[in-house]
Amino acid sequence: MLKLHFPRAVGAWLNRLTGPTDALDSTPADTVVHWPPTPARLLASAERQAHKCLAEALALEHPKGFLLAHVPLHKLLRVPAQHSYREWLSRTGLLTVDFALCDEHGYARAIVLMPVADDQPKQARKRERLLRVLAATELPVRPWDREWRGEPGERLRELLFTRPRGDGYFADTPHAH
């Protein structure tokens, strides 16, 4: 047993002798020191343009609604508790929708997905899994179309929120679809 730990101990001792003497580097597990974080751009240019258009359409359908970007699927959907949630999460945990258009109560009312490049087969497979799960819901799912940038908000609202409005329709009630 001593033989197994001896090289590790010698290596640690040598690192202390030859390594940096800075107190911040003395803890090898310090994530902030070894990977200094900086702010990242959350939305690419096309996503920012889409966000602007979608926000306008959402304001017409749900004036007090929320437009959320990069929403993990497990935050968007509920699944029955009779099966293992952990297993479902392991299968879908890395899937995200690009935009979720929500009413004022936080319920998703429409999903918009940005296009996936043809040369990314892994992304295409993830998108197929995502679409399969979303198809089981009653949420309208639309791929983003660049031509929508010039559309008036009312027309875009009609494209995104496909459920017909009945008499006495009020969009911002929790039971409205």
Side-chain angles (χ1 to χ4, degrees):
M1 188 167 253
L2 182 62
K3 290 180 185 177
L4 294 175
H5 296 290
F6 186 69
R8 197 176 305 153
V10 170
W13 179 72
L14 286 173
N15 277 343
R16 276 191 224 127
L17 288 177
T18 61
T21 58
D22 190 353
L24 291 176
D25 287 334
S26 65
T27 56
D30 191 345
T31 305
V32 175
V33 171
H34 294 289
W35 293 276
T38 58
R41 180 182 295 175
L42 297 178
L43 300 176
S45 177
E47 292 172 322
R48 289 191 310 271
Q49 292 172 357
H51 189 279
K52 238 181 193 176
C53 296
L54 295 173
E56 184 180 341
L58 177 64
L60 294 170
E61 181 74 9
H62 297 284
K64 295 180 181 178
F66 304 96
L67 177 57
L68 304 175
H70 304 293
V71 180
L73 193 61
H74 71 275
K75 292 286 191 179
L76 186 67
L77 304 175
R78 287 181 297 203
V79 293
Q82 66 209 30
H83 299 290
S84 169
Y85 180 75
R86 180 177 287 167
E87 183 179 342
W88 182 82
L89 192 58
S90 73
R91 295 176 185 207
T92 62
L94 297 177
L95 300 177
T96 60
V97 299
D98 295 308
F99 294 103
L101 292 85
C102 305
D103 63 16
E104 72 175 4
H105 303 286
Y107 288 97
R109 297 299 179 203
I111 303 298
V112 175
L113 301 174
M114 298 300 287
V116 174
D118 293 334
D119 62 342
Q120 297 179 347
K122 185 177 179 181
Q123 290 297 97
R125 285 193 306 272
K126 283 177 74 173
R127 178 59 56 94
E128 287 172 16
R129 270 197 329 253
L130 177 65
L131 289 172
R132 184 167 179 250
V133 173
L134 289 173
T137 69
E138 294 184 7
L139 291 171
V141 178
R142 298 282 181 257
W144 173 254
D145 184 348
R146 286 183 166 200
E147 301 301 317
W148 289 353
R149 285 185 292 186
E151 290 287 338
E154 185 61 37
R155 172 73 179 127
L156 190 52
R157 185 198 63 76
E158 292 170 5
L159 291 168
L160 295 172
F161 300 98
T162 57
R163 294 208 174 239
R165 292 181 173 193
D167 291 338
Y169 175 84
F170 182 68
D172 287 333
T173 57
H175 54 79
H177 288 212

